[in-house]
Amino acid sequence: MTTPPYSQYPQGVSDKSKVVAGILQILLGGFGVGRFYMGDTKTGVIQLVVTLVTCGLGSIWGLIDGILILVNGGVDGQGRPLRD
């Protein structure tokens, strides 16, 4: 019988960092990179499509989203809060 791998994070907390997700979203949010990092592929694809359809103007959504992730935190693709 095998034991589950040791996790250094408390149960219920994501292994993804809030700071990394926010910075990625601010710098490359138009391409949804921060959302892809968090495991939220649906929102990442939507951000990418909006940016392409609006010829880059939709990247403002990524900038605002990154700031909100840094200020308020967020959840990963499994609904767990991001770690600090």
Side-chain angles (χ1 to χ4, degrees):
M1 189 172 264
T2 60
T3 58
Y6 173 74
S7 175
Q8 62 183 359
Y9 306 110
Q11 187 173 2
V13 177
S14 177
D15 59 338
K16 305 296 183 185
S17 170
K18 171 175 81 168
V19 174
V20 173
I23 297 297
L24 283 173
Q25 196 62 11
I26 288 172
L27 297 177
L28 300 168
F31 301 112
V33 174
R35 289 296 179 162
F36 286 124
Y37 168 75
M38 293 167 49
D40 188 5
T41 55
K42 181 179 176 183
T43 305
V45 169
I46 292 171
Q47 286 180 335
L48 177 61
V49 169
V50 167
T51 299
L52 293 175
V53 169
T54 62
C55 298
L57 292 176
S59 62
I60 294 171
W61 176 17
L63 175 68
I64 294 170
D65 194 27
I67 293 169
L68 288 175
I69 290 171
L70 287 174
V71 172
N72 297 330
V75 295
D76 66 3
Q78 298 174 345
R80 299 175 300 179
L82 297 173
R83 66 180 168 88
D84 290 330

